[in-house]
């Protein structure tokens, strides 16, 4: 695979914490969108999967800009929020988690994946509310059967283009797992790998990587990440 240095994927998914964690996932996604705009990076949402209540279950974004992977590579890990829950009548403090993964983008020169180990499905592209936005089955879902890893793409109108993007993403995920020497046994998430903790009641952010506190929590949530990255 030839690595494209000026492009990467940001994958975000909610962890334990119910509805609060789903809301928190969207907050972190907006944080990266604001950060990208500040640096004049191009950012596009490839996949925004929602549940029946239209809460975020999974977000995949593609970012393009000068050496963007090198800029974002240390964002991997769990981003944790400690704040009052709007879903609790007594407004008790609740812990919300979301997992961020930064994935390289590459051009597949030699596909190592055995096509017999793939399940490829097509379906109609859907909008934020779940409604169909395309009359043809242009969206593509590819599942790597041995590992259980599944990727989807519906960003393009062409089924062929969506399949190409999905294959790139699948290869990136498999290669990332191989490099990090992670055994695929069910879920890959490591929810103990904390990157940052946002203490809303105390108005500061604790970076586990930088090993220091930041008291500009509002600015950080609005994409001011230059001191943390």
């Amino acid at each position: 695979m030839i690595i494209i240095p000026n492009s990467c994927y940001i994958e975000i998914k909610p962890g334990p914490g119910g509805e609060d964690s789903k809301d928190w996932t969207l907050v972190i996604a907006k944080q990266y969108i604001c950060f990208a705009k500040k640096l004049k990076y191009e950012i596009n949402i490839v996949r925004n999967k929602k549940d029946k209540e239209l809460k975020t279950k999974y977000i995949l974004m593609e970012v393009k800009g000068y050496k963007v992977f090198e800029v974002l590579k240390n964002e991997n890990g769990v981003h944790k929020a400690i704040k009052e829950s709007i879903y609790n009548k007594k407004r008790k403090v609740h812990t919300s988690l979301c997992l961020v993964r930064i994935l390289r983008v590459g051009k597949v020169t030699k596909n190592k994946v055995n096509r017999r180990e793939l399940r490829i499905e097509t379906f109609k592209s859907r909008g934020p509310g779940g409604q169909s936005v395309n009359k043809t089955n242009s969206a593509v879902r590819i599942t790597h059967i041995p590992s259980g890893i599944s990727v989807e793409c519906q960003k393009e109108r062409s089924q062929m283009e969506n399949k190409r993007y999905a294959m790139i993403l699948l290869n990136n995920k498999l290669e990332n797992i191989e490099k990090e020497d992670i055994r695929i046994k069910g879920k890959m998430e490591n929810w103990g790998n904390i990157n940052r903790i946002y203490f809303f009641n105390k108005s500061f952010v604790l970076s586990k990587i930088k090993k220091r506190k930041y008291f500009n929590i509002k600015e950080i949530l609005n994409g001011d990440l230059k001191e943390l990255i």
Side-chain angles (χ1 to χ4, degrees):
M1 179 182 290
I2 299 175
I3 299 300
I4 301 174
N6 298 331
S7 187
C8 73
Y9 288 112
I10 303 175
E11 182 183 67
I12 314 172
K13 59 182 72 175
E19 301 302 306
D20 290 279
S21 286
K22 293 175 184 177
D23 289 349
W24 179 236
T25 297
L26 189 58
V27 170
I28 292 298
K30 289 179 179 177
Q31 179 189 64
Y32 286 122
I33 291 171
C34 292
F35 172 74
K37 288 181 178 179
K38 286 179 185 294
L39 293 184
K40 303 197 182 305
Y41 288 159
E42 179 185 342
I43 185 165
N44 297 297
I45 297 175
V46 177
R47 178 66 172 151
N48 186 3
K49 192 173 182 180
K50 297 180 180 292
D51 61 17
K52 293 180 180 179
E53 286 74 38
L54 301 182
K55 296 289 185 178
T56 300
K57 292 174 63 179
Y58 174 85
I59 294 179
L60 179 69
M61 300 183 288
E62 184 178 10
V63 191
K64 295 180 181 179
Y66 182 67
K67 292 187 176 179
V68 65
F69 178 78
E70 292 299 318
V71 172
L72 291 172
K73 65 181 181 181
N74 290 327
E75 288 296 287
N76 284 303
V78 175
H79 294 244
K80 182 177 179 180
I82 299 176
K83 61 186 181 69
E84 291 182 356
S85 172
I86 62 172
Y87 302 101
N88 187 290
K89 292 181 180 180
K90 296 182 179 180
R91 307 288 289 187
K92 289 185 177 180
V93 174
H94 188 84
T95 298
S96 306
L97 304 173
C98 73
L99 180 69
V100 174
R101 296 188 69 202
I102 308 300
L103 303 170
R104 290 182 181 273
V105 176
K107 292 181 178 179
V108 179
T109 55
K110 186 177 181 181
N111 192 355
K112 297 180 181 179
V113 180
N114 186 340
R115 292 299 178 113
R116 294 180 181 179
E117 296 178 341
L118 300 180
R119 180 170 65 249
I120 301 176
E121 303 165 276
T122 59
F123 56 97
K124 293 180 181 178
S125 298
R126 297 190 177 276
Q131 73 276 15
S132 296
V133 295
N134 200 332
K135 294 182 180 180
T136 62
N137 289 350
S138 60
V140 176
R141 179 187 300 112
I142 303 178
T143 303
H144 183 240
I145 297 171
S147 66
I149 293 174
S150 179
V151 297
E152 294 181 6
C153 186
Q154 57 177 355
K155 65 178 288 187
E156 305 293 341
R157 290 184 175 273
S158 163
Q159 184 186 116
M160 185 178 295
E161 282 299 298
N162 282 328
K163 183 178 179 182
R164 185 175 69 84
Y165 271 103
M167 282 300 300
I168 289 173
L169 182 57
L170 179 63
N171 274 278
N172 286 338
K173 284 193 171 188
L174 292 174
E175 186 174 280
N176 190 61
I177 290 166
E178 183 180 346
K179 283 185 176 181
E180 294 177 8
D181 195 28
I182 298 173
R183 291 188 179 183
I184 304 169
K185 292 183 178 179
K187 293 184 178 179
M188 298 182 301
E189 293 85 349
N190 178 8
W191 295 103
N193 181 26
I194 304 294
N195 188 306
R196 285 198 290 272
I197 305 175
Y198 294 73
F199 292 89
F200 283 80
N201 55 336
K202 298 179 181 179
S203 298
F204 73 86
V205 178
L206 173 63
S207 171
K208 290 286 190 175
I209 293 177
K210 299 288 186 177
K211 297 181 179 180
R212 59 170 290 192
K213 297 177 181 178
Y214 299 84
F215 291 89
N216 56 332
I217 186 169
K218 289 183 179 179
E219 290 79 5
I220 290 171
L221 289 171
N222 286 324
D224 188 1
L225 302 175
K226 59 181 181 293
E227 292 185 16
L228 288 95
I229 292 180

